[in-house]
Amino acid sequence: MAVPLLLLAAGLSPRAWWRPGIPRKICKSCKCSQEEHGLSSELDDDRKIGRLLSDSKYSTLTARLKGGDGVRIYKRNRMIVTNPNISGKDPTFDTITYEWAPPGLTQKLAMQYMELVPKELQPVAGTDGAFHRRRRLARQLPLHDQDPAQCRGLAEGEHKLMEEFVKKYKAEALGVGEVALPGQGGGRKEEEKPQDKSIDPGRAPEPPNGALESTATAGHYALSAVPVPQRCDTCQQAVPGDCPVVYADRAGYSRQWHPACFVCCRCAEPLVDLIYFWKSGAAWCGRHYCESLRPRCAGCDEIIFSEDYQQVEGLAWHNKHFACLECETLLTGKPFSLAKASLLCSACSQSRV
């Protein structure tokens, strides 16, 4: 098993994270999550998102790696902004690098977008904002939610179930938000998708955002489109016509969001790199979308595909992971205590008192 360098740098044994047969989603030493100790490399992150978006209608946001045996990698859009500093006699230049920015925009519009994101979340290289972006990547889009090879909780025959699960959410729910000025959403759709020849050429075009249209009926004329105020779908506040908004094509282009309001409907966290999953009329992060369909093991953090699992107080475990956090004794049919989603046998619970 490969040992993450950041984990070793933190002075943690890899066995604090993993035991034969009982993988852990938290550090056994300090009980915090793995992303608290160390994150994967930027290249690994780009590979992960590349894998997620490949074989989907968003594959144009990926590129094939040279010599990568067909592996696709995320074409992450970085933005470098150079500002002159003329406070002294000789002007100097301040350079700011954003580790991610919405693709397909002019720098002016991209900067307008960034200014509408809380400063502490702006992914400027070397700042807390960049760290929080990568932490959200680890949290919202865990690799074990898309790659069966990364899962230790799958039983024989469940790999196929997970492959179908991933294929289905890529086709039906996965999306990447588009940034544009109000009323101008859908530009990326026109650029990336061929024209649908099955559409009746005599059919009236879809109305722009915020417009109401009445169709003509026999003996009646159609009413003119009546514009209505543009509003953010989350906060319902007005959207200025000169400020960029986020569109989600799976929601339709009559809905838009302020950049700071495009968040997961479950955890209210900003959707990292605008990657969302659409369900029940709302945007979800990848983690909570998957959990809305299948239970997630509180022991290993993986999605459970078996119908036979343990469940206590709204939490679920694979049968083989229903074990004491400290001594790893299996607890099925035995007394235990549950504290902060962690299981303890009677002996280990008493030793903590």
Side-chain angles (χ1 to χ4, degrees), residues 329-350:
T329 299
L330 289 175
L331 297 173
T332 303
K334 298 178 182 179
F336 63 87
S337 63
L338 179 64
K340 295 182 180 179
S342 296
L343 295 166
L344 293 172
C345 67
S346 297
C348 291
S349 179
Q350 291 175 6

Side-chain angles (χ1 to χ4, degrees), residues 278-313:
W278 192 256
K279 180 190 172 189
S280 302
W284 302 63
C285 70
R287 167 174 292 274
H288 289 117
Y289 171 81
C290 290
E291 290 177 10
S292 75
L293 300 177
R294 302 289 311 176
R296 185 182 296 278
C297 179
C300 70
D301 200 47
E302 296 172 13
I303 298 298
I304 299 174
F305 288 92
S306 171
E307 297 303 324
D308 182 19
Y309 58 91
Q310 300 293 327
Q311 192 167 14
V312 179
E313 296 184 9

Side-chain angles (χ1 to χ4, degrees), residues 231-310:
R231 296 193 178 277
C232 171
D233 200 71
T234 295
C235 70
Q236 293 301 310
Q237 296 299 308
V239 175
D242 58 350
C243 289
V245 293
V246 179
Y247 289 95
D249 62 336
R250 292 192 184 273
Y253 288 94
S254 62
R255 303 171 72 173
Q256 59 271 309
W257 289 262
H258 291 120
C261 291
F262 194 57
V263 300
C264 171
C265 67
R266 175 68 63 83
C267 63
E269 282 287 312
L271 292 161
V272 64
D273 292 13
L274 304 180
I275 298 172
Y276 68 92
F277 292 73
W278 192 256
K279 180 190 172 189
S280 302
W284 302 63
C285 70
R287 167 174 292 274
H288 289 117
Y289 171 81
C290 290
E291 290 177 10
S292 75
L293 300 177
R294 302 289 311 176
R296 185 182 296 278
C297 179
C300 70
D301 200 47
E302 296 172 13
I303 298 298
I304 299 174
F305 288 92
S306 171
E307 297 303 324
D308 182 19
Y309 58 91
Q310 300 293 327

Side-chain angles (χ1 to χ4, degrees), residues 151 206 241:
C151 299
E206 193 171 317

Side-chain angles (χ1 to χ4, degrees), residues 83-122:
N83 297 313
N85 183 354
I86 55 176
S87 58
K89 291 184 178 180
D90 298 321
T92 58
F93 296 90
D94 294 328
T95 300
I96 300 174
T97 300
Y98 291 86
E99 292 192 352
W100 173 86
L105 305 181
T106 64
Q107 188 173 93
K108 178 181 178 181
L109 192 58
M111 283 303 301
Q112 281 184 280
Y113 169 89
M114 287 300 177
E115 289 167 2
L116 294 172
V117 173
K119 189 171 181 61
E120 66 273 13
L121 296 180
Q122 294 175 10

